[in-house]
Amino acid sequence: MNLQFPKDFIWGVATAAYQIEGAYNQDGRGESIWDRFSKTHGKILNGDTGDVACDHYNRYQEDVAMIKNLGVDSYRFSIAWPRIFPNGFGKLNPKGLDFYKRLVNELLENDLIPCATLYHWDLPQVLQDKGGWTNRDTAKCFQDYAAIMFQEFGDVVPYWITLNEPWCSAQMGYGNGQHAPGIKDPKQAIQAAHYLLYAHGLAVEAFRSVTGNGQIGITLNMSPKYPASDSPEDVAAAQRGFAADVGWYLDPVLKGAYPEEIFQIYKKHNLAPEMEAKDLDVISTAIDFLGINYYHRRILGAGNPDSIFNYKSYPSVYEKTRMGWEIYPEGIYDLLVYLNKTYGDLPLFITENGACFDDQLVEGEVHDHQRTKYLQDHFVQCHRAIEAGVPLKGFYVWSLMDNFEWAYGYDYRFGIVYVDYETQTRYLKDSAKWYREFLTTQK
Ligand code: FCB
């Protein structure tokens, strides 16, 4: 592949704490909602839990060496809030903090740029016992935790992400119950979304009050919606779908308002979130960049009495990954161009993109040509977007290595590195080797 990205483009790999760290009860770590949820019968495929995961907590040096060996510029990881504050607030756990100090030092010594996500879904269980994200106080606790992290790491971590995919935390955690804490109540989901956004805004405020020259943003999952036909009804349905899933998060953060049409629909169904007068001002505190997790698109059309948004999903057209997600690289281009047009010249990062396939380890090798092709095709579309003037600044592959894929457990592999969980041996898949090769052409 012969593509030249800008010289200062940041290439990386991404992970999240609960998915890789393991060491669930080591060094004073508190319980998170994912510990509780994964140990609840029937919630996770094969009854898997994150107790051990990739044992990254104990193998971080080996893993950083592996990241270095890939030739990337940056590593996106998340900090486990329950390691820092086992009870969510109050007494800090110095040993938990120390782990991230060692990790960040290791990255810096290897000339890797740390990009830290403060919340990738592992809420301290103690806070869930008080209502979790449906309790306004949780946002305050998040701000306090974030402020401590900025004090400790503000001068060494240049990129910060407040929340990873608040849509998932709210809608899958409190709406359909497929994720921790497993609640199924649309009203709670929309309230949780509001307090998540409020927590994001409070954290950005805290960041601005700490000196340092880092940058802060939020990562949203965005699947662009395409209309099933050109009919005005289908076009409107696709727009409504995008506003409900993505605009509901983007607009408050970037415009200081919820999308009006969706707000009215929620209001009509008595689902609108409770909020205070200044909340949207806090939520829209200026950010430095927007993080995008892109995996697939959706096709929507009008008409569905079961959905309050009156839209229905259409089957995908092209090949799918093992997750059942349609492979549609053009979607990342369309999305980037749309965001740039709609929200202006805010720097953008792809903070996750990657694919799950049924990988086979044979004699130490994994020939995952489908994943390599997936990545190549998405790189091509990102390059196209940059050529079209979109300020895309970096790209993080999801994921560095196979890990605990939430409700799908360990059976679903997204890594460019294969993990043999029995021995904790890591093997570079062909996609990792290709990525490393590609990166040598970008220096
Ligand atoms: C995203 C999550 C990430 C991973 C990928 C496949 O929604 O942020 O942790 O599970 O999906």
Side-chain angles (χ1 to χ4, degrees):
M1 202 170 66
N2 189 13
L3 285 182
Q4 276 307 317
F5 280 75
K7 284 285 167 232
D8 57 354
F9 196 78
I10 296 178
W11 292 100
V13 282
T15 64
Y18 189 73
Q19 296 181 275
I20 64 161
E21 285 180 1
Y24 78 105
N25 61 0
Q26 218 173 307
D27 293 340
R29 176 183 175 280
E31 190 190 10
S32 81
I33 55 175
W34 272 94
D35 294 293
R36 181 73 61 92
F37 187 71
S38 65
K39 287 169 190 166
T40 308
H41 182 73
K43 298 297 183 195
I44 313 292
L45 195 67
N46 303 320
D48 290 342
T49 75
D51 283 4
V52 180
C54 309
D55 195 30
H56 169 76
Y57 188 82
N58 296 304
R59 295 168 194 265
Y60 73 93
Q61 285 173 304
E62 178 196 334
D63 289 338
V64 171
M66 186 167 77
I67 297 168
K68 179 71 184 167
N69 174 262
L70 289 174
V72 295
D73 306 303
S74 177
Y75 174 49
R76 173 179 177 230
F77 61 97
S78 83
I79 298 173
W81 183 352
R83 283 199 197 281
I84 310 292
F85 289 105
N87 289 319
F89 64 98
K91 205 165 168 314
L92 184 140
N93 173 34
K95 285 190 172 167
L97 184 63
D98 193 56
F99 168 67
Y100 295 104
K101 287 193 174 158
R102 284 181 278 128
L103 173 65
V104 168
N105 278 340
E106 195 73 19
L107 291 169
L108 295 175
E109 276 169 21
N110 282 284
D111 282 328
L112 291 162
I113 304 168
C115 169
T117 303
L118 287 165
Y119 185 71
H120 201 125
W121 307 353
D122 43 0
L123 186 72
Q125 179 63 42
V126 176
L127 295 181
Q128 187 57 46
D129 296 342
K130 297 176 184 157
W133 288 111
T134 65
N135 181 347
R136 195 174 171 88
D137 293 343
T138 299
K140 267 278 171 214
C141 295
F142 180 73
Q143 184 184 35
D144 294 345
Y145 150 63
I148 298 282
M149 294 301 96
F150 301 147
Q151 271 169 35
E152 294 288 341
F153 297 104
D155 51 348
V156 281
V157 172
Y159 293 101
W160 292 87
I161 292 164
T162 54
L163 307 177
N164 179 72
E165 304 189 349
W167 179 91
C168 288
S169 299
Q171 292 298 337
M172 299 187 77
Y174 296 80
N176 65 29
Q178 288 169 14
H179 280 181
I183 293 166
K184 295 181 191 166
D185 175 359
K187 190 156 175 72
Q188 286 192 51
I190 294 150
Q191 192 60 57
H194 182 71
Y195 290 142
L196 279 153
L197 287 168
Y198 183 56
H200 154 80
L202 290 175
V204 178
E205 278 191 355
F207 188 75
R208 299 293 177 220
S209 67
V210 175
T211 46
N213 42 19
Q215 299 188 24
I216 193 161
I218 186 171
T219 279
L220 303 177
N221 49 310
M222 303 191 202
S223 76
K225 319 291 188 222
Y226 293 77
S229 80
D230 292 343
S231 79
E233 293 78 16
D234 284 349
V235 170
Q239 281 169 354
R240 239 176 5 260
F242 189 79
D245 286 2
V246 185
W248 192 256
Y249 299 84
L250 265 179
D251 286 9
V253 170
L254 298 178
K255 294 182 175 169
Y258 281 114
E260 188 55 25
E261 185 184 9
I262 305 302
F263 194 87
Q264 291 309 328
I265 294 173
Y266 282 150
K267 217 167 141 190
K268 193 169 123 206
H269 291 83
N270 194 28
L271 293 171
E274 266 173 42
M275 57 177 125
E276 292 181 11
K278 292 257 159 52
D279 287 5
L280 283 159
D281 294 344
V282 173
I283 293 171
S284 57
T285 308
I287 53 175
D288 302 306
F289 65 87
L290 178 67
I292 300 157
N293 291 355
Y294 174 85
Y295 289 95
H296 59 85
R297 68 164 175 176
R298 283 182 68 195
I299 304 172
L300 300 181
N304 181 355
D306 294 336
S307 147
I308 59 170
F309 302 117
N310 192 30
Y311 62 64
K312 61 178 177 225
S313 267
Y314 280 72
S316 45
V317 176
Y318 301 103
E319 216 185 313
K320 292 183 253 182
T321 66
R322 192 166 176 224
M323 298 297 281
W325 297 348
E326 186 192 38
I327 303 175
Y328 193 69
E330 290 83 357
I332 207 168
Y333 171 84
D334 291 343
L335 178 65
L336 287 165
V337 169
Y338 168 84
L339 292 171
N340 184 229
K341 249 201 217 142
T342 313
Y343 298 96
D345 276 335
L346 183 67
L348 305 175
F349 281 85
I350 299 299
T351 42
E352 287 180 26
N353 173 252
C356 175
F357 293 106
D358 190 11
D359 298 319
Q360 301 300 328
L361 178 72
V362 181
E363 291 170 7
E365 309 217 338
V366 180
H367 301 306
D368 60 336
H369 62 274
Q370 288 168 297
R371 184 174 290 105
T372 303
K373 176 153 178 21
Y374 181 100
L375 291 173
Q376 287 174 344
D377 291 348
H378 286 78
F379 287 9
V380 167
Q381 295 300 326
C382 286
H383 189 264
R384 245 185 97 203
I386 294 172
E387 302 258 276
V390 174
L392 180 65
K393 301 298 181 192
F395 188 113
Y396 291 84
V397 171
W398 184 271
S399 176
L400 164 65
M401 57 184 158
D402 296 334
N403 56 49
F404 176 79
E405 179 43 40
W406 310 112
Y408 293 89
Y410 295 104
D411 206 34
Y412 282 66
R413 295 173 178 271
F414 271 90
I416 56 172
V417 172
Y418 186 95
V419 177
D420 174 348
Y421 294 105
E422 296 286 310
T423 60
Q424 290 295 349
T425 310
R426 281 84 159 117
Y427 299 90
L428 299 199
K429 299 180 193 176
D430 285 357
S431 56
K433 294 177 190 167
W434 172 79
Y435 191 27
R436 181 170 61 186
E437 203 46 48
F438 167 76
L439 292 174
T440 62
T441 68
Q442 300 301 309
K443 299 294 161 207

